[in-house]
């Protein structure tokens, strides 16, 4: 299990090329990468987080995924600080014996990171700055797990 | 003495990211009421509790939870990670 | 859309670092990588395919995914020839505005590649060689789309 | 003249990957019957059609499909890609 909360950019390639190496019973690896879109003339986004609680919350979510889907490995990287359109915000990766578990666990991780990890996004655009509001559908997504 | 932290627009309305609060409040709601009685900026931040979340010692909790033994309380809007 | 049928290994890293670049409306990238597991003392696996039909079938599946989920991009790499445990067999990647579409499209691609792309696997182990039998559950998986 | 191709264990039972077949068969089933009448190895390969799939000109098809204008017929077991 590998969890990183950082301001620095990351290379999905470098991360995935090393992911799950060393385990002999991996048949499926799924990765998700979230990227800043330039909707509505967004110029930049600032992500604030709660140091300490962030690592703790992600650890809890990832541990639950590891156990529930018997993952061979699991990784979460989430950036904070200032990002611009095209920048990678975060990624998750899951490794398991079969594809269904790897897909499900990755979606579970994403759903929980969206509404249970203490990050807040502020968007800066032509009309000023605004905190991104949580979506009901993100909260609803948790009910399927 | 409790460490109180604010994030996102709650932090902006209060005007600072954290402060040490001398309180005997029994629950989170009691603490919120004490803070609101202090200054208008607290009233502005805590006007609608349904728009807020609270964490006690870095674990999500409820507004009616007891503060007994708690060292760190954090107030923030619903999270928007991912 | 990028489709490759090849004997050569590939680097998920190199592939993903270039994937979706140039498009400005991508918020989510999902990748799946299939790896040879060493179950039952498997020593090697030989993948046979139907040159011509393979490319045509994958093209059809990928085009359907692009349209159905309005993907910004979509990639499929599938190897044939001899592979050993730990080798990567294939990968898919999808890029879209939102995460649900990227996840669903990647699962759709995997389900269809499993039973509609003309590949056949022969496994070599301590008890000799055997063609992998198609699983009912793989055929059933198609019914959800 | 039709190009007939075999894959996986069908290829192994027939003993070759492809052959040109002179035939007037109207449907795939008719072609299969002609082949089975030739030699035991064809009978072995086509013993259970439910275990086989057929592609006409590189498109999945059915055993009762007509061969009119078809140039390439391929027989193989259910696919196991991915």
């Amino acid at each position: 299990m590998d969890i990183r909360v950082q301001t620095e950019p990351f290379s999905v390639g470098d991360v995935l090329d090393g992911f799950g190496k060393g385990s002999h019973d991996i048949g499926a690896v799924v990765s998700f990468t979230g990227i800043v879109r330039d909707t509505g003339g967004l110029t930049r986004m600032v992500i604030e987080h709660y140091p300490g609680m962030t690592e703790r919350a992600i650890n809890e979510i990832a541990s639950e995924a590891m156990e529930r889907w018997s993952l061979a490995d699991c990784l979460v990287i989430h950036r904070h600080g200032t990002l611009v359109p095209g920048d990678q915000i975060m990624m998750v990766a899951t490794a398991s014996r079969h594809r269904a578990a790897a897909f499900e666990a990755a979606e579970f991780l994403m759903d929980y990171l969206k509404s249970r990890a203490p990050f807040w996004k502020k968007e800066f655009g032509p009309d000023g700055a605004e905190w991104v509001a949580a979506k009901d559908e993100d909260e609803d997504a948790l009910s399927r797990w | 003495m409790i460490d109180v932290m604010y994030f996102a627009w709650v932090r902006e309305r209060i005007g600072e990211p954290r402060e040490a609060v001398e309180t005997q409040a029994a629950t989170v709601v009691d603490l919120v009421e004490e803070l609101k009685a202090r200054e208008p900026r607290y009233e502005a931040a805590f006007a609608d509790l349904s728009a807020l979340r609270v964490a006690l010692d870095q674990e999500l909790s409820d507004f009616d939870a007891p503060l007994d033994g708690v060292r760190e309380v954090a107030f923030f809007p619903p999270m928007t990670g991912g």
Side-chain angles (χ1 to χ4, degrees), chain A, chain B:
Chain A
M1 217 166 84
D2 183 358
I3 288 163
R4 312 180 204 169
V5 180
Q6 61 188 46
T7 52
E8 301 74 33
F10 56 86
S11 152
V12 180
D14 290 352
V15 170
L16 281 185
D17 276 340
F19 182 67
K21 287 288 186 303
S23 175
H24 277 288
D25 204 26
I26 293 177
V29 170
V30 166
S31 80
F32 175 92
T33 311
I35 298 151
V36 183
R37 291 169 58 213
D38 59 353
T39 43
L42 179 82
T43 51
R44 66 192 166 95
M45 169 188 281
V46 174
I47 300 182
E48 182 171 333
H49 80 121
Y50 183 171
M53 179 172 167
T54 308
E55 292 76 3
R56 180 195 284 246
I58 298 180
N59 228 297
E60 215 167 278
I61 294 162
S63 300
E64 194 182 330
M66 287 289 287
E67 197 183 316
R68 191 154 158 187
W69 284 277
S70 303
L71 300 182
D73 207 353
C74 162
L75 167 142
V76 177
I77 301 177
H78 204 305
R79 295 175 69 188
H80 56 97
T82 300
L83 302 176
V84 298
D87 279 356
Q88 291 164 340
I89 304 176
M90 51 85 63
M91 73 172 284
V92 305
T94 55
S96 69
R97 297 169 69 184
H98 301 291
R99 75 184 191 284
F103 270 118
E104 274 186 33
E107 293 195 66
F108 168 88
L109 285 170
M110 286 308 305
D111 284 350
Y112 270 85
L113 288 170
K114 277 266 165 198
S115 1
R116 289 293 180 273
F119 290 99
W120 300 274
K121 297 190 181 105
K122 189 171 191 175
E123 293 180 342
F124 296 77
D127 304 325
E130 201 166 355
W131 289 98
V132 174
K135 295 193 192 104
D136 286 344
E137 65 192 70
D138 287 333
E139 190 66 32
D140 294 346
L142 301 186
S143 63
R144 64 169 163 157
W145 303 111
Chain B
M1 203 71 147
I2 290 184
D3 230 353
V4 182
M5 307 177 74
Y6 310 106
F7 293 95
W9 58 255
V10 183
R11 171 180 55 70
E12 292 178 336
R13 289 192 195 172
I14 302 281
E16 53 196 337
R18 68 194 300 162
E19 59 186 321
V21 174
E22 190 69 62
T23 179
Q24 301 299 325
T27 65
V28 178
V29 157
D30 292 344
L31 173 62
V32 167
E33 290 308 318
E34 277 187 26
L35 292 169
K36 281 169 81 174
R38 282 190 181 181
E39 286 176 52
R41 58 191 172 108
Y42 291 98
E43 273 199 79
F46 292 111
D48 176 11
L49 288 193
S50 76
L52 294 183
R53 299 289 178 272
V54 62
L56 302 184
D57 289 332
Q58 306 189 352
E59 289 277 358
L60 270 185
S61 189
D62 299 304
F63 281 89
D64 53 9
L67 286 180
D68 212 31
V70 168
R71 286 160 308 162
E72 188 172 302
V73 177
F75 295 103
F76 42 78
M79 300 164 264
T80 54

